[in-house]
Amino acid sequence: MSEGSTDFDVGPLSWVLPEIDQALVRGLDALTQFHAAPKDRAPLRHAQAHVHQAAGAIQMVGLDAVVPFTDEIERGLDRLASGTATEVDATVGAIDHACRKLKIFLAEVVAGVPLQALKLFPEYAAMQATRGIKAAAASDLFYPDLAARIPERPWPLRSSGMKLCPD
């Protein structure tokens, strides 16, 4: 899928978008419960399950360019679960913001906005920053269509009279 490609078939995404939205909302609700009482890990497990469900549906409909983004959300949740997240507030905030942006992004794609996963980069970089990564790579969210071919040249190479290649 090329960045900005209009070739993406939004049909399957439009069919599962309500379930993705619902899973993300439930995940965010559970994350809020965990943030209010971090010693209770049950809400965090629920958040992980709901976000994982949304991430699986996104992958299933072929949004490969978004998968690194959802993987990063899940990594953040895993860090919270393992107790290694030293900045719980920052991590929860970054995940919350990323999930909300993802909902908006997917709705825009279904509405016909070109698929440009690079729009998610600020949230992706913020989530990586909570893991101590200082320079996130935008290329993680760039998926050009490598099957695209350069069009045939409509004129001969020697049209200027210059010889570009030896015979």
Side-chain angles (χ1 to χ4, degrees), residues 140-157:
D140 291 350
L141 300 176
F142 181 66
Y143 277 69
D145 183 358
L146 298 177
R149 307 296 306 167
I150 297 174
E152 293 277 332
R153 198 175 281 244
W155 62 89
L157 285 176

Side-chain angles (χ1 to χ4, degrees), residues 35-135:
H35 193 219
K39 293 190 189 277
D40 182 6
R41 300 295 177 151
L44 181 57
R45 286 191 299 275
H46 293 299
Q48 289 174 301
H50 291 300
V51 169
H52 185 71
Q53 178 184 6
I58 288 167
Q59 189 171 12
M60 185 179 67
V61 297
L63 284 171
D64 296 338
V66 181
V67 171
F69 186 79
T70 58
D71 286 349
E72 191 63 37
I73 294 171
E74 291 191 279
R75 267 191 292 279
L77 290 168
D78 289 345
R79 285 184 61 241
L80 290 171
S82 67
T84 60
T86 56
E87 300 289 332
V88 173
D89 290 341
T91 302
V92 168
I95 292 169
D96 180 83
H97 192 74
C99 288
R100 292 177 193 282
K101 178 68 177 246
L102 180 59
K103 285 174 47 73
I104 293 167
F105 175 82
L106 295 174
E108 288 176 348
V109 170
V110 167
V113 174
L115 175 60
Q116 296 176 339
L118 286 172
K119 289 181 180 180
L120 300 170
F121 183 71
E123 292 77 15
Y124 181 75
M127 287 187 294
Q128 288 200 329
T130 66
R131 291 194 296 128
I133 296 173
K134 295 185 183 352

